[in-house]
Amino acid sequence: MDEFTYRDGSLWCEGVSLTSVANRFGTPTYVYSANTLIDHYRRFAKAFDAVNPLICFSAKALSNVHLLRLLGQEGAGIDAVSGGELHRATVAGIDPERTVLAGVGKSEDELRDAVRRKIRCINVESEAEVELLSRIAREEGERPRLAIRVNPDVAPDQRTPARTTTGTRGGKFGVDIERAAALFAHAAADRSLRIEGFHVHLGSPIFDPQVYATALDRLLGLVARLEAEGHRITTLNLGGGFPAEYVDRTAPSWDDFAEVIVHRLAGFRRGGGQVIFEPGRTIAANAGILLSTVRYLKQAGDQQLAVIDAGMTHLARAAMYDSYHFMWPVLPPAEAVPVSRDVSGLAGLTAYDVVGPICESSDYLARGRSLPVLAAGDHLAIFTAGAYGMTMTSNYNSQLRPAEVLVQGDQVTLVRRRETYADLVALELLDTSDHRDG
Ligand SMILES: *Cc1c(COP(=O)(O)O)cnc(C)c1O
């Protein structure tokens, strides 16, 4: 599944010991396995190769340009949700023909930027955005390609958190499906635009393949209706949302998703249609860990607390979504070397609340978690942190963002240096004489 494995009693990433990474680069540090990232991308692509999709990796899951470039070399494109992510795609050398842009609140500048870059598809989310894009297209003398992001009103399964559900009625994303055909026809009549099809993104993570089947059937109904009116639909973008394994063997495989999706698209493909996917989490989550160090152990009431150097500013998911992240010492006692994430059979475990250094009571990475007995200075690996880890970090409490390290085989590369105190204040213009009114 991934290349973070315990060997000779300690944790390795591919051919590199994580003790050596912690000693060399300090903590907290994100460590990525290049081979895991590439392997996940290839296996996702293989599962869907019958529909020959364009796979646009979702940059908001993991946006370091070194990793985007690695995926680009494998043939991946980029799904951007801002001008900043379009810029990252360019820096990473991603072909605009393989770049798509989504977002419910794109600015005029962001749309203009996408038009000038001639990207593969702009996924618009409202009637008003179509009007703005049309004006920009005329001003720029371009004919941008677009798709309409549809809200198919499909509820994800019970395990998709409400806070990451995006395709249900009344939500802020996309255009209600019953208005999508009229908007398509309106855009098709606009000679400054090239309307190509539809986009959905249902939420994340989605564990039930049937959710995709339901949404896709609604989209195909829309396609059939428009084709009967003489329109041609050439792009269907099914978004991302495919799950990652946070625990052990709880998520369906990519083949399970392909099984319900691929055959439904056969007719669309025969007509020459292009299918797009935008996976993020499913490719990147298990390709990265957050390496941290235990600072203090203390007792609070009946609880044992482990205070570590990584908190909600370094990995927001637990505080934000109550997400579960498996964590384990890099160098556990001999009797507590895990062979899977099911550690219930291991001896000598203690329940800890694992907390970060942030002055905020939601700064818990785990509560009552069974771990080997910890000591100050132990390195603790927080797994499945490659997606929505570094990209959601902040400087709250004037914390410094972590370093990012890329491992490939026995090669270790620092791909983002740790922030410094100078970085913290660099934008705050200590000399304000040029920026004062009056
Ligand atoms: C976030 C996002 C994705 C990726 O979601 P994952 O769950 O990481 O696969 C894809 N498309 C859009 C439009 C998104 O906003």
Side-chain angles (χ1 to χ4, degrees):
M1 187 176 84
D2 62 62
E3 296 204 35
F4 293 94
T5 48
Y6 283 86
R7 286 211 306 271
D8 304 327
S10 82
L11 184 61
W12 291 63
C13 174
E14 303 193 19
V16 174
S17 110
L18 287 168
T19 303
S20 75
V21 172
N23 290 339
R24 182 166 160 202
F25 298 101
T27 63
T29 291
Y30 278 93
V31 184
Y32 304 105
S33 157
N35 287 334
T36 303
L37 189 75
I38 291 168
D39 174 60
H40 286 182
Y41 174 79
R42 286 184 185 164
R43 288 199 286 129
F44 182 91
K46 188 160 179 291
F48 289 101
D49 68 355
V51 294
N52 193 24
L54 170 59
I55 300 173
C56 293
F57 176 74
S58 173
K60 79 176 192 288
L62 173 64
S63 66
N64 186 298
V65 293
H66 294 266
L67 291 131
L68 298 183
R69 189 166 54 199
L70 265 187
L71 288 168
Q73 285 162 355
E74 292 294 314
I78 292 296
D79 161 42
V81 293
S82 67
E85 288 185 354
L86 281 183
H87 180 68
R88 287 181 178 277
T90 306
V91 172
I94 306 294
D95 185 349
E97 257 323 296
R98 306 181 81 77
T99 302
V100 298
L101 176 67
V104 70
K106 304 176 200 77
S107 71
E108 179 166 344
D109 284 349
E110 287 175 319
L111 282 172
R112 194 178 299 277
D113 187 25
V115 168
R116 287 185 180 163
R117 287 175 201 259
K118 304 185 202 302
I119 66 167
R120 176 65 181 73
C121 196
I122 299 172
N123 296 316
V124 298
E125 305 215 11
S126 66
E127 286 85 353
E129 191 185 348
V130 172
E131 293 316 306
L132 177 57
L133 183 61
S134 174
R135 172 164 68 73
I136 293 168
R138 277 175 270 124
E139 287 167 5
E140 298 291 328
E142 296 284 350
R143 274 189 81 208
R145 288 165 285 179
L146 67 152
I148 296 167
R149 179 168 178 176
V150 172
N151 179 340
D153 193 19
V154 176
D157 47 280
Q158 253 121 53
R159 288 159 65 196
T160 307
R163 275 171 290 181
T164 53
T165 293
T166 56
T168 50
R169 194 172 169 77
K172 78 168 183 171
F173 297 102
V175 174
D176 291 342
I177 191 156
E178 60 273 17
R179 296 208 317 278
L183 183 56
F184 185 99
H186 173 81
D190 185 333
R191 302 302 303 276
S192 55
L193 300 175
R194 276 186 285 173
I195 178 83
E196 300 208 322
F198 297 103
H199 171 228
V200 285
H201 173 66
L202 305 168
S204 181
I206 295 167
F207 289 90
D208 181 1
Q210 210 49 47
V211 172
Y212 286 86
T214 307
L216 183 50
D217 288 342
R218 290 188 188 167
L219 273 193
L220 291 170
L222 193 57
V223 169
R225 193 177 135 198
L226 281 159
E227 283 180 345
E229 292 168 16
H231 293 289
R232 189 140 184 268
I233 283 76
T234 54
T235 298
L236 282 183
N237 180 337
L238 298 184
F242 303 93
E245 199 62 85
Y246 283 90
V247 194
D248 250 345
R249 288 180 286 277
T250 58
S253 71
W254 294 313
D255 288 330
D256 294 333
F257 286 95
E259 198 180 303
V260 305
I261 292 173
V262 163
H263 71 89
R264 287 182 156 82
L265 289 166
F268 176 71
R269 284 284 302 150
R270 268 198 305 279
Q274 173 72 62
V275 177
I276 302 179
F277 290 110
E278 302 171 331
R281 181 193 313 276
T282 202
I283 307 281
N286 277 307
I289 64 158
L290 177 57
L291 195 53
S292 69
T293 303
V294 177
R295 281 191 180 151
Y296 301 101
L297 294 154
K298 71 174 190 179
Q299 175 112 17
D302 296 332
Q303 303 297 119
Q304 297 295 328
L305 261 61
V307 185
I308 68 172
D309 63 359
M312 63 191 287
T313 55
H314 311 97
L315 179 64
R317 297 188 70 257
M320 215 168 149
Y321 310 123
D322 290 324
S323 307
Y324 175 89
H325 282 271
F326 179 70
M327 55 187 77
W328 209 253
V330 169
L331 193 59
E335 71 279 8
V337 176
V339 289
S340 79
R341 291 180 187 183
D342 178 2
V343 291
S344 52
L346 295 179
L349 305 187
T350 301
Y352 288 98
D353 286 351
V354 180
V355 304
I358 310 305
C359 297
E360 202 60 63
S361 12
S362 53
D363 187 29
Y364 278 68
L365 288 147
R367 291 178 196 267
R369 186 67 64 85
S370 287
L371 288 166
V373 173
L374 297 170
D378 284 355
H379 299 307
L380 189 68
I382 304 168
F383 290 76
T384 324
Y388 306 101
M390 186 64 179
T391 55
M392 291 177 82
T393 54
S394 81
N395 289 125
Y396 182 45
N397 279 207
S398 289
Q399 289 284 333
L400 305 175
R401 284 195 176 78
E404 290 181 292
V405 164
L406 179 63
V407 171
Q408 187 156 31
D410 55 11
Q411 295 281 105
V412 185
T413 313
L414 181 67
V415 290
R416 181 178 159 121
R417 66 165 171 79
R418 186 177 308 287
E419 285 181 352
T420 64
Y421 292 151
D423 293 327
L424 273 185
V425 295
L427 302 179
E428 293 172 22
L429 302 176
L430 290 176
D431 175 4
T432 55
S433 47
D434 290 344
H435 304 278
R436 210 171 285 141
D437 285 338

